[in-house]
Amino acid sequence: MTKKSVLKKAIADSEAEIDALEKKRTRSQSAILEAYLNNTQPTNADAEYFRTYSKLIELERENLRTLKEQLAGIKD
């Protein structure tokens, strides 16, 4: 495979990973929002999951930016 096709596959994989992480984060976000609306304290586990998934999403987005920059730098 060419470097360009490898980068395109890595970009697609990275975008899929971001989608999966965002879905997982949404579950903990919903639990936090529900606790807020019920005037209760969200569980520590929900808050920690939210922080962890948010950090993983941030790291994966940085990876995606790097991959896209590498792809843009390849001349046809």
Side-chain angles (χ1 to χ4, degrees), residues 15-47:
E15 289 171 342
E17 180 66 17
I18 289 170
D19 286 341
L21 289 169
E22 285 176 341
K23 287 177 184 175
K24 291 176 182 178
R25 181 179 67 175
T26 299
R27 288 190 283 254
S28 59
Q29 186 177 15
S30 295
I32 291 169
L33 181 60
E34 182 180 2
Y36 174 75
L37 292 173
N38 292 330
N39 291 324
T40 60
Q41 186 72 18
T43 66
N44 288 337
D46 288 330

Side-chain angles (χ1 to χ4, degrees), residues 43-69:
T43 66
N44 288 337
D46 288 330
E48 190 58 36
Y49 282 133
F50 182 81
R51 284 188 208 98
T52 300
Y53 287 127
S54 294
K55 185 63 177 170
L56 290 172
I57 290 167
E58 180 182 321
L59 291 171
E60 193 61 40
R61 284 185 179 149
E62 180 60 35
N63 180 48
L64 182 60
R65 278 190 289 278
T66 302
L67 290 170
K68 285 183 176 182
E69 288 171 2

